[in-house]
Amino acid sequence: MNEKAIEGRSTTRLLLVPLDDIVVFPNMNVTLTVDVGDEERVFLVPRSHDEYARIGTVARVTDRIRLPGGGRAVALEGLHRGIAGAAITDPQGRLFVEVDERPDPDEVNGRVRELEREYRAVVEEILELRGDDGRIAAFVRSITEPGALADTSGYSPDLTFDQKVQLLETIDVRERLELALEFQRERLALMQVRRRIQEDVESGVEKQQREYILRKQMESIRKELGEDEASVVEEYRQKIAEAEMPEKVREQAERELSRLERMGEQTPEATVIRNYLDWLLAVPWNKRSEERLDPQHTREVLDADHAGLEDVKDRIVEYIAVAKLRKERGIEADRRSGAILTLIGPPGTGKTSIGESIARATGREFVRISLGGIRDEAEIRGHRRTYIGALPGRLVRALRDAGTMNPVIMLDEVDKVGSDWRGDPSSALLEVLDPAQNHSFRDHYLDVELDLSEVLFIATGNTTDTIPGPLLDRMEVIRFDGYTTDEKVAIARDYLWPRQRERHGLREDEVSISDDAIELVITEYTREAGVRQLERELGTVLRKIATKIASGEVEPPVAVTPALVREALGRQKVFRETAERTAVPGVATGLAATLTGGDVLFIEATSHRNGDKLVLTGQLGDVMKESAQIALSAVRALAPKLGIDEEAFENRSFHVHVPAGAIPKDGPSAGITIATALASLLTGRPVKHTVGMTGEITLQGRVLPVGGIKQKVLAAHAAGITDVILPERNRADLEDVPERVREEIAFHPVMSIDEVLALALEEKPVESHAAL
């Protein structure tokens, strides 16, 4: 407060008039039913729950009024604020207080003027929202003193008693304006929210009224056009009659149609019923593709589309032949004799594409359902109609898309189906893929029996390990074990090269490639069971050629030679390093089967004095670690036969490592390879670089059978291995190996580790290891 204001203070003894739950501000006129005697001025102090405010209002008596019945009232005008001091009671019992009067100062600074302008703007916005006719706004504009302007908040019915007392007790004009502005901003925000809510409600009501009027108008128009509710129901009834549904399905459809007819079009349930009827009518209940039952034609189509894959082709031809015989001899179709084929093999071997070829060969429609990553059972069986946005499952949608009841449905990536709290889709597939049950499949949405027995299901996957046992039991598994180099050359020449040539805008007479160049791409730039990487590399070669032809660097025709392949693809990416790796004792070449086909792996062994530990590295699984321990024990037991001194094991630790260390490895089939590496280390005799091996070993040194023989042999052939050691009981599996591969590789079935070491180890030890 400035000095002038301090000097202008005065202390006066005034009659105390308590005000219960009301607050009187300076410049405010009120009439109170109190008796003030002859006093010209009084001190009005707010009181709540017997507690007085610290600051009150000095008021002047402007009129005395006599009320009917003898009562008295006075008209008062607030002058300015005052601070209550000492209290004195007169002989009549009235309470007087010493009041330190505090009128507002006359001088005003720039900040107060800014607050004054803000306050006026907020109040005018509030008055506009409240629908003021302009009189209150004019009253506010007429006030020139900032203190009196802030006190106008006391008129607001939205401020609480405590807020008004807080405003009264703020003597400083600037602080009072800031407080009043804060209160008015809160009021404005609240009123704006209320206005938005009111507008939303009004717009919602208006929208409903508008929709109601439009619907009524639409009903009138449809009646004039003869398209009223009765005609919609008749349209559905006609469609149901034409759909040739099974008896129980037709009864269900008619029941739902009767419900729609009773409740009318305007109810929310009507939309649900109409959607349900639309889906019932979308199923091709009595439509079937005319199947071409010609085994010879089927084989020709399959051979034209795919090289190799003889097992799959034979099975499809057998299926067509049996169907042809049953039809020719008038044998009634058995609803429990459906075909469910499961193609298991590495990526890029043609599992998915052969489904389209099968559909084309048999004259059926083809639909593909990708199951990879599905975790919700409703994706297979559908949602119940009680849920908003419910839909049938993927099988019903597949039949709708096919337009027939006997399509070829491919269930792609069936080994990658997941499960969580929403259900287990693989359990729902149990019924779908069981020929004894799928003639009465029930979708949750349609809730009627659906005959899937005429569907030819073809499932695909990379491995059977992740497919649940009960589901796998219902499948007829056909394994894809990858292609030989000759088969890849044929596929690249007849399918991949023409397709990539067309994609890159080149004509057949502009570019050609020799088989030698294709084989170079296969052996030096790819290592895979399938042909996806091979197709990408051929695409790279064609892009380089297309760029040169488009820029005028070369003139067509262009013949792709091995030299041109190396120029386009750069340095060699895949190396045959068997001879180099096994030249040192303690390294043996093993054969492994992976999700991407067969592979060659090297097992390295070394040892050092001081200790008796077996250290295993290379991200080995528990089964492979146990195989290593068994291999070491078997070699130690056979030490005398191998010419190994028993003392070679005393106080010696062994370390077995399987590169590459970043790739997890597991399984028992590396048992004889680990034993051979350890025997090679201890005898100093290197393993022959032409030898690869696979087989499980026991403590007695016996060799047990393993799986994936075809994949492993193909990997050995691709790596240049000419001798393969395998268990005797796997001899029959060699029939699955292509004939050309069998001619180029010598197979050595064995029953014990003695035979393995006799075949695998060189005759003489390396000099540096002879003394070990």
Side-chain angles (χ1 to χ4, degrees), residues 183-228:
F183 289 158
Q184 297 300 348
R185 280 177 177 161
E186 290 176 1
R187 284 183 63 206
L188 178 61
L190 183 60
M191 292 179 69
Q192 287 174 337
V193 171
R194 287 175 179 170
R195 172 59 64 89
R196 281 198 296 270
I197 293 172
Q198 184 179 359
E199 289 175 351
D200 290 343
V201 172
E202 289 175 356
S203 65
V205 172
E206 289 174 1
K207 183 180 178 183
Q208 289 179 353
Q209 292 174 342
R210 180 171 171 273
E211 288 179 355
Y212 176 77
I213 294 170
L214 289 174
R215 282 200 184 96
K216 288 298 181 182
Q217 291 176 346
M218 193 161 55
E219 283 181 18
S220 301
I221 294 170
R222 290 172 66 182
K223 283 182 180 178
E224 291 295 326
L225 295 173
E227 298 177 356
D228 56 352

Short mmCIF file of all heavy atoms in Angstrom, two decimals, residues 183-228:
data_model
loop_
_atom_site.label_atom_id
_atom_site.label_comp_id
_atom_site.label_asym_id
_atom_site.label_seq_id
_atom_site.Cartn_x
_atom_site.Cartn_y
_atom_site.Cartn_z
N PHE A 183 -11.57 -16.28 -10.07
CA PHE A 183 -12.92 -16.81 -9.83
C PHE A 183 -13.77 -16.75 -11.10
O PHE A 183 -14.48 -17.71 -11.42
CB PHE A 183 -13.61 -16.01 -8.71
CG PHE A 183 -13.03 -16.25 -7.34
CD1 PHE A 183 -13.19 -15.31 -6.31
CD2 PHE A 183 -12.31 -17.40 -7.06
CE1 PHE A 183 -12.66 -15.53 -5.06
CE2 PHE A 183 -11.78 -17.63 -5.80
CZ PHE A 183 -11.94 -16.68 -4.79
N GLN A 184 -13.70 -15.64 -11.82
CA GLN A 184 -14.54 -15.49 -13.01
C GLN A 184 -14.08 -16.42 -14.14
O GLN A 184 -14.91 -16.92 -14.91
CB GLN A 184 -14.52 -14.02 -13.48
CG GLN A 184 -15.10 -13.03 -12.49
CD GLN A 184 -16.56 -13.31 -12.17
OE1 GLN A 184 -17.21 -14.11 -12.82
NE2 GLN A 184 -17.06 -12.66 -11.14
N ARG A 185 -12.78 -16.68 -14.22
CA ARG A 185 -12.30 -17.64 -15.24
C ARG A 185 -12.82 -19.04 -14.95
O ARG A 185 -13.18 -19.79 -15.87
CB ARG A 185 -10.77 -17.63 -15.27
CG ARG A 185 -10.20 -16.47 -16.06
CD ARG A 185 -8.69 -16.47 -15.99
NE ARG A 185 -8.10 -15.41 -16.80
CZ ARG A 185 -6.87 -14.96 -16.65
NH1 ARG A 185 -6.10 -15.46 -15.70
NH2 ARG A 185 -6.41 -14.00 -17.44
N GLU A 186 -12.84 -19.43 -13.66
CA GLU A 186 -13.39 -20.74 -13.30
C GLU A 186 -14.86 -20.83 -13.69
O GLU A 186 -15.32 -21.84 -14.22
CB GLU A 186 -13.22 -20.98 -11.79
CG GLU A 186 -11.78 -21.19 -11.35
CD GLU A 186 -11.65 -21.34 -9.85
OE1 GLU A 186 -12.70 -21.28 -9.16
OE2 GLU A 186 -10.51 -21.51 -9.36
N ARG A 187 -15.61 -19.72 -13.42
CA ARG A 187 -17.02 -19.69 -13.81
C ARG A 187 -17.17 -19.84 -15.31
O ARG A 187 -18.03 -20.58 -15.81
CB ARG A 187 -17.66 -18.37 -13.38
CG ARG A 187 -17.97 -18.24 -11.90
CD ARG A 187 -18.67 -16.92 -11.62
NE ARG A 187 -19.94 -16.84 -12.29
CZ ARG A 187 -20.55 -15.70 -12.64
NH1 ARG A 187 -19.96 -14.55 -12.40
NH2 ARG A 187 -21.73 -15.73 -13.22
N LEU A 188 -16.33 -19.14 -16.08
CA LEU A 188 -16.40 -19.18 -17.54
C LEU A 188 -16.13 -20.59 -18.07
O LEU A 188 -16.85 -21.09 -18.94
CB LEU A 188 -15.40 -18.19 -18.13
CG LEU A 188 -15.32 -18.16 -19.67
CD1 LEU A 188 -16.66 -17.79 -20.27
CD2 LEU A 188 -14.23 -17.19 -20.14
N ALA A 189 -15.09 -21.23 -17.52
CA ALA A 189 -14.76 -22.60 -17.98
C ALA A 189 -15.92 -23.54 -17.70
O ALA A 189 -16.28 -24.38 -18.55
CB ALA A 189 -13.48 -23.07 -17.29
N LEU A 190 -16.50 -23.45 -16.51
CA LEU A 190 -17.61 -24.32 -16.15
C LEU A 190 -18.82 -24.08 -17.07
O LEU A 190 -19.47 -25.03 -17.52
CB LEU A 190 -17.99 -24.08 -14.68
CG LEU A 190 -19.10 -24.95 -14.10
CD1 LEU A 190 -18.70 -26.42 -14.18
CD2 LEU A 190 -19.40 -24.56 -12.66
N MET A 191 -19.09 -22.81 -17.34
CA MET A 191 -20.23 -22.49 -18.20
C MET A 191 -20.00 -22.97 -19.64
O MET A 191 -20.93 -23.42 -20.31
CB MET A 191 -20.48 -20.98 -18.20
CG MET A 191 -20.98 -20.45 -16.85
SD MET A 191 -21.26 -18.67 -16.86
CE MET A 191 -22.67 -18.56 -17.93
N GLN A 192 -18.74 -22.88 -20.10
CA GLN A 192 -18.46 -23.38 -21.45
C GLN A 192 -18.65 -24.88 -21.55
O GLN A 192 -19.18 -25.38 -22.55
CB GLN A 192 -17.02 -23.00 -21.83
CG GLN A 192 -16.83 -21.52 -22.14
CD GLN A 192 -15.37 -21.16 -22.36
OE1 GLN A 192 -14.47 -21.87 -21.90
NE2 GLN A 192 -15.14 -20.05 -23.05
N VAL A 193 -18.23 -25.62 -20.52
CA VAL A 193 -18.45 -27.08 -20.51
C VAL A 193 -19.94 -27.38 -20.52
O VAL A 193 -20.43 -28.25 -21.26
CB VAL A 193 -17.76 -27.73 -19.28
CG1 VAL A 193 -18.18 -29.19 -19.14
CG2 VAL A 193 -16.25 -27.61 -19.40
N ARG A 194 -20.70 -26.67 -19.68
CA ARG A 194 -22.15 -26.88 -19.64
C ARG A 194 -22.78 -26.59 -21.00
O ARG A 194 -23.67 -27.31 -21.45
CB ARG A 194 -22.77 -26.00 -18.57
CG ARG A 194 -22.49 -26.45 -17.14
CD ARG A 194 -23.04 -25.46 -16.15
NE ARG A 194 -22.81 -25.89 -14.77
CZ ARG A 194 -23.01 -25.12 -13.72
NH1 ARG A 194 -23.44 -23.87 -13.89
NH2 ARG A 194 -22.79 -25.58 -12.50
N ARG A 195 -22.31 -25.52 -21.65
CA ARG A 195 -22.86 -25.16 -22.95
C ARG A 195 -22.57 -26.26 -23.99
O ARG A 195 -23.45 -26.62 -24.77
CB ARG A 195 -22.26 -23.82 -23.41
CG ARG A 195 -22.61 -23.43 -24.85
CD ARG A 195 -24.11 -23.32 -25.06
NE ARG A 195 -24.70 -22.29 -24.28
CZ ARG A 195 -24.82 -21.02 -24.70
NH1 ARG A 195 -24.38 -20.67 -25.88
NH2 ARG A 195 -25.39 -20.13 -23.92
N ARG A 196 -21.32 -26.81 -23.97
CA ARG A 196 -21.00 -27.88 -24.92
C ARG A 196 -21.87 -29.10 -24.68
O ARG A 196 -22.35 -29.73 -25.63
CB ARG A 196 -19.51 -28.25 -24.80
CG ARG A 196 -18.59 -27.28 -25.50
CD ARG A 196 -17.23 -27.90 -25.74
NE ARG A 196 -16.54 -28.22 -24.50
CZ ARG A 196 -15.73 -27.39 -23.86
NH1 ARG A 196 -15.51 -26.18 -24.34
NH2 ARG A 196 -15.13 -27.75 -22.74
N ILE A 197 -22.04 -29.46 -23.40
CA ILE A 197 -22.89 -30.63 -23.09
C ILE A 197 -24.31 -30.39 -23.58
O ILE A 197 -24.94 -31.27 -24.18
CB ILE A 197 -22.86 -30.91 -21.57
CG1 ILE A 197 -21.46 -31.36 -21.14
CG2 ILE A 197 -23.91 -31.96 -21.21
CD1 ILE A 197 -21.30 -31.49 -19.65
N GLN A 198 -24.82 -29.18 -23.34
CA GLN A 198 -26.17 -28.87 -23.76
C GLN A 198 -26.30 -28.92 -25.29
O GLN A 198 -27.28 -29.45 -25.82
CB GLN A 198 -26.55 -27.47 -23.25
CG GLN A 198 -27.99 -27.08 -23.56
CD GLN A 198 -28.34 -25.70 -23.01
OE1 GLN A 198 -27.48 -25.06 -22.38
NE2 GLN A 198 -29.54 -25.26 -23.23
N GLU A 199 -25.29 -28.39 -25.98
CA GLU A 199 -25.33 -28.43 -27.44
C GLU A 199 -25.27 -29.86 -27.97
O GLU A 199 -25.97 -30.21 -28.94
CB GLU A 199 -24.16 -27.62 -28.01
CG GLU A 199 -24.32 -26.12 -27.83
CD GLU A 199 -23.09 -25.36 -28.30
OE1 GLU A 199 -22.07 -26.03 -28.61
OE2 GLU A 199 -23.14 -24.11 -28.36
N ASP A 200 -24.42 -30.72 -27.32
CA ASP A 200 -24.35 -32.12 -27.74
C ASP A 200 -25.69 -32.82 -27.57
O ASP A 200 -26.14 -33.58 -28.44
CB ASP A 200 -23.26 -32.87 -26.94
CG ASP A 200 -21.86 -32.42 -27.33
OD1 ASP A 200 -21.73 -31.80 -28.40
OD2 ASP A 200 -20.92 -32.68 -26.55
N VAL A 201 -26.32 -32.56 -26.41
CA VAL A 201 -27.62 -33.19 -26.16
C VAL A 201 -28.65 -32.71 -27.18
O VAL A 201 -29.42 -33.50 -27.75
CB VAL A 201 -28.09 -32.88 -24.71
CG1 VAL A 201 -29.52 -33.35 -24.51
CG2 VAL A 201 -27.17 -33.53 -23.70
N GLU A 202 -28.65 -31.41 -27.41
CA GLU A 202 -29.63 -30.86 -28.36
C GLU A 202 -29.39 -31.40 -29.77
O GLU A 202 -30.34 -31.74 -30.48
CB GLU A 202 -29.54 -29.33 -28.36
CG GLU A 202 -30.09 -28.69 -27.08
CD GLU A 202 -29.88 -27.18 -27.06
OE1 GLU A 202 -29.23 -26.67 -28.02
OE2 GLU A 202 -30.37 -26.53 -26.13
N SER A 203 -28.09 -31.48 -30.17
CA SER A 203 -27.80 -32.00 -31.51
C SER A 203 -28.19 -33.46 -31.62
O SER A 203 -28.67 -33.91 -32.66
CB SER A 203 -26.31 -31.82 -31.84
OG SER A 203 -25.51 -32.61 -30.98
N GLY A 204 -27.97 -34.24 -30.51
CA GLY A 204 -28.37 -35.65 -30.53
C GLY A 204 -29.88 -35.79 -30.68
O GLY A 204 -30.37 -36.63 -31.45
N VAL A 205 -30.61 -34.96 -29.96
CA VAL A 205 -32.08 -35.01 -30.06
C VAL A 205 -32.52 -34.61 -31.46
O VAL A 205 -33.39 -35.24 -32.07
CB VAL A 205 -32.71 -34.09 -28.99
CG1 VAL A 205 -34.21 -33.98 -29.21
CG2 VAL A 205 -32.40 -34.62 -27.59
N GLU A 206 -31.89 -33.56 -32.00
CA GLU A 206 -32.23 -33.12 -33.34
C GLU A 206 -31.92 -34.20 -34.37
O GLU A 206 -32.70 -34.41 -35.32
CB GLU A 206 -31.46 -31.84 -33.68
CG GLU A 206 -31.94 -30.61 -32.91
CD GLU A 206 -31.05 -29.41 -33.18
OE1 GLU A 206 -30.09 -29.56 -33.98
OE2 GLU A 206 -31.31 -28.34 -32.61
N LYS A 207 -30.78 -34.90 -34.18
CA LYS A 207 -30.42 -35.96 -35.12
C LYS A 207 -31.43 -37.10 -35.08
O LYS A 207 -31.85 -37.61 -36.12
CB LYS A 207 -29.02 -36.50 -34.76
CG LYS A 207 -28.52 -37.57 -35.73
CD LYS A 207 -27.14 -38.06 -35.33
CE LYS A 207 -26.67 -39.15 -36.26
NZ LYS A 207 -25.36 -39.69 -35.86
N GLN A 208 -31.86 -37.48 -33.85
CA GLN A 208 -32.86 -38.54 -33.73
C GLN A 208 -34.17 -38.13 -34.39
O GLN A 208 -34.81 -38.92 -35.08
CB GLN A 208 -33.07 -38.88 -32.25
CG GLN A 208 -31.90 -39.62 -31.62
CD GLN A 208 -32.14 -39.91 -30.16
OE1 GLN A 208 -33.12 -39.45 -29.59
NE2 GLN A 208 -31.24 -40.67 -29.56
N GLN A 209 -34.58 -36.86 -34.13
CA GLN A 209 -35.81 -36.39 -34.74
C GLN A 209 -35.70 -36.37 -36.27
O GLN A 209 -36.63 -36.76 -36.98
CB GLN A 209 -36.14 -34.99 -34.22
CG GLN A 209 -36.54 -34.96 -32.74
CD GLN A 209 -36.73 -33.54 -32.23
OE1 GLN A 209 -36.25 -32.59 -32.84
NE2 GLN A 209 -37.41 -33.42 -31.10
N ARG A 210 -34.50 -35.93 -36.76
CA ARG A 210 -34.30 -35.89 -38.21
C ARG A 210 -34.33 -37.29 -38.81
O ARG A 210 -34.96 -37.52 -39.86
CB ARG A 210 -32.95 -35.22 -38.49
CG ARG A 210 -32.59 -35.09 -39.95
CD ARG A 210 -31.35 -34.21 -40.10
NE ARG A 210 -30.86 -34.23 -41.46
CZ ARG A 210 -30.00 -35.14 -41.93
NH1 ARG A 210 -29.54 -36.08 -41.10
NH2 ARG A 210 -29.59 -35.10 -43.18
N GLU A 211 -33.64 -38.25 -38.14
CA GLU A 211 -33.65 -39.62 -38.64
C GLU A 211 -35.05 -40.21 -38.63
O GLU A 211 -35.44 -40.94 -39.55
CB GLU A 211 -32.70 -40.48 -37.79
CG GLU A 211 -31.22 -40.20 -38.03
CD GLU A 211 -30.33 -41.05 -37.16
OE1 GLU A 211 -30.89 -41.80 -36.31
OE2 GLU A 211 -29.09 -40.97 -37.31
N TYR A 212 -35.81 -39.88 -37.57
CA TYR A 212 -37.18 -40.40 -37.48
C TYR A 212 -38.02 -39.89 -38.65
O TYR A 212 -38.75 -40.65 -39.30
CB TYR A 212 -37.80 -39.98 -36.14
CG TYR A 212 -39.25 -40.39 -35.99
CD1 TYR A 212 -39.58 -41.71 -35.69
CD2 TYR A 212 -40.27 -39.46 -36.16
CE1 TYR A 212 -40.91 -42.09 -35.55
CE2 TYR A 212 -41.60 -39.83 -36.02
CZ TYR A 212 -41.91 -41.15 -35.72
OH TYR A 212 -43.21 -41.53 -35.60
N ILE A 213 -37.89 -38.58 -38.92
CA ILE A 213 -38.67 -37.99 -40.02
C ILE A 213 -38.24 -38.59 -41.35
O ILE A 213 -39.09 -38.94 -42.19
CB ILE A 213 -38.48 -36.45 -40.02
CG1 ILE A 213 -39.10 -35.85 -38.75
CG2 ILE A 213 -39.11 -35.84 -41.27
CD1 ILE A 213 -38.77 -34.40 -38.54
N LEU A 214 -36.91 -38.74 -41.55
CA LEU A 214 -36.43 -39.31 -42.81
C LEU A 214 -36.89 -40.75 -42.98
O LEU A 214 -37.22 -41.17 -44.11
CB LEU A 214 -34.90 -39.23 -42.86
CG LEU A 214 -34.29 -37.83 -43.04
CD1 LEU A 214 -32.78 -37.90 -42.92
CD2 LEU A 214 -34.69 -37.25 -44.38
N ARG A 215 -36.86 -41.53 -41.88
CA ARG A 215 -37.33 -42.91 -41.98
C ARG A 215 -38.80 -42.97 -42.37
O ARG A 215 -39.20 -43.81 -43.18
CB ARG A 215 -37.11 -43.63 -40.64
CG ARG A 215 -35.68 -44.06 -40.39
CD ARG A 215 -35.60 -45.15 -39.33
NE ARG A 215 -34.22 -45.50 -39.03
CZ ARG A 215 -33.52 -44.99 -38.03
NH1 ARG A 215 -34.09 -44.10 -37.22
NH2 ARG A 215 -32.27 -45.34 -37.82
N LYS A 216 -39.59 -42.10 -41.75
CA LYS A 216 -41.00 -42.08 -42.09
C LYS A 216 -41.20 -41.72 -43.56
O LYS A 216 -42.03 -42.31 -44.27
CB LYS A 216 -41.73 -41.08 -41.20
CG LYS A 216 -41.90 -41.54 -39.76
CD LYS A 216 -42.73 -42.82 -39.70
CE LYS A 216 -42.93 -43.30 -38.27
NZ LYS A 216 -43.69 -44.57 -38.21
N GLN A 217 -40.41 -40.74 -44.02
CA GLN A 217 -40.50 -40.37 -45.43
C GLN A 217 -40.05 -41.52 -46.33
O GLN A 217 -40.66 -41.77 -47.37
CB GLN A 217 -39.63 -39.14 -45.69
CG GLN A 217 -40.16 -37.86 -45.05
CD GLN A 217 -39.21 -36.69 -45.25
OE1 GLN A 217 -38.06 -36.88 -45.63
NE2 GLN A 217 -39.70 -35.49 -44.97
N MET A 218 -38.97 -42.23 -45.89
CA MET A 218 -38.48 -43.35 -46.67
C MET A 218 -39.51 -44.47 -46.73
O MET A 218 -39.69 -45.13 -47.76
CB MET A 218 -37.16 -43.86 -46.07
CG MET A 218 -36.41 -44.81 -46.98
SD MET A 218 -34.67 -44.97 -46.51
CE MET A 218 -34.81 -45.47 -44.80
N GLU A 219 -40.18 -44.70 -45.60
CA GLU A 219 -41.23 -45.72 -45.59
C GLU A 219 -42.32 -45.38 -46.59
O GLU A 219 -42.80 -46.25 -47.33
CB GLU A 219 -41.83 -45.83 -44.19
CG GLU A 219 -40.96 -46.59 -43.21
CD GLU A 219 -41.60 -46.70 -41.84
OE1 GLU A 219 -42.82 -46.49 -41.74
OE2 GLU A 219 -40.87 -46.97 -40.88
N SER A 220 -42.71 -44.10 -46.62
CA SER A 220 -43.75 -43.69 -47.56
C SER A 220 -43.28 -43.89 -49.00
O SER A 220 -44.05 -44.38 -49.86
CB SER A 220 -44.10 -42.22 -47.33
OG SER A 220 -44.56 -42.01 -46.01
N ILE A 221 -42.00 -43.53 -49.28
CA ILE A 221 -41.47 -43.70 -50.64
C ILE A 221 -41.43 -45.17 -51.02
O ILE A 221 -41.81 -45.56 -52.13
CB ILE A 221 -40.07 -43.06 -50.74
CG1 ILE A 221 -40.16 -41.54 -50.56
CG2 ILE A 221 -39.42 -43.39 -52.08
CD1 ILE A 221 -38.83 -40.86 -50.41
N ARG A 222 -40.96 -46.02 -50.08
CA ARG A 222 -40.86 -47.45 -50.37
C ARG A 222 -42.23 -48.06 -50.58
O ARG A 222 -42.40 -48.97 -51.40
CB ARG A 222 -40.12 -48.16 -49.23
CG ARG A 222 -38.64 -47.82 -49.20
CD ARG A 222 -37.95 -48.37 -47.99
NE ARG A 222 -37.93 -49.81 -48.00
CZ ARG A 222 -37.40 -50.56 -47.03
NH1 ARG A 222 -36.87 -49.95 -45.97
NH2 ARG A 222 -37.42 -51.86 -47.11
N LYS A 223 -43.24 -47.58 -49.84
CA LYS A 223 -44.60 -48.09 -50.06
C LYS A 223 -45.09 -47.73 -51.46
O LYS A 223 -45.72 -48.53 -52.14
CB LYS A 223 -45.53 -47.52 -49.01
CG LYS A 223 -45.41 -48.19 -47.65
CD LYS A 223 -46.40 -47.61 -46.66
CE LYS A 223 -46.25 -48.30 -45.29
NZ LYS A 223 -47.17 -47.73 -44.28
N GLU A 224 -44.77 -46.48 -51.88
CA GLU A 224 -45.17 -46.06 -53.22
C GLU A 224 -44.49 -46.92 -54.29
O GLU A 224 -45.06 -47.21 -55.34
CB GLU A 224 -44.83 -44.59 -53.44
CG GLU A 224 -45.67 -43.62 -52.61
CD GLU A 224 -47.13 -43.66 -53.00
OE1 GLU A 224 -47.41 -43.85 -54.21
OE2 GLU A 224 -47.98 -43.52 -52.11
N LEU A 225 -43.22 -47.32 -54.02
CA LEU A 225 -42.47 -48.13 -54.99
C LEU A 225 -42.72 -49.62 -54.83
O LEU A 225 -42.16 -50.43 -55.57
CB LEU A 225 -40.96 -47.86 -54.83
CG LEU A 225 -40.49 -46.44 -55.18
CD1 LEU A 225 -39.02 -46.29 -54.82
CD2 LEU A 225 -40.70 -46.16 -56.66
N GLY A 226 -43.51 -49.99 -53.82
CA GLY A 226 -43.75 -51.41 -53.57
C GLY A 226 -42.59 -52.12 -52.93
O GLY A 226 -42.39 -53.32 -53.13
N GLU A 227 -41.77 -51.36 -52.15
CA GLU A 227 -40.59 -51.93 -51.50
C GLU A 227 -40.69 -51.79 -49.99
O GLU A 227 -39.72 -51.50 -49.31
CB GLU A 227 -39.32 -51.23 -51.99
CG GLU A 227 -39.07 -51.38 -53.48
CD GLU A 227 -37.84 -50.62 -53.92
OE1 GLU A 227 -37.26 -49.92 -53.06
OE2 GLU A 227 -37.48 -50.71 -55.10
N ASP A 228 -41.84 -51.99 -49.43
CA ASP A 228 -42.01 -51.86 -48.00
C ASP A 228 -41.50 -53.11 -47.29
O ASP A 228 -40.92 -54.00 -47.91
CB ASP A 228 -43.48 -51.58 -47.65
CG ASP A 228 -44.40 -52.66 -48.22
OD1 ASP A 228 -43.88 -53.51 -48.98
OD2 ASP A 228 -45.59 -52.65 -47.90
#
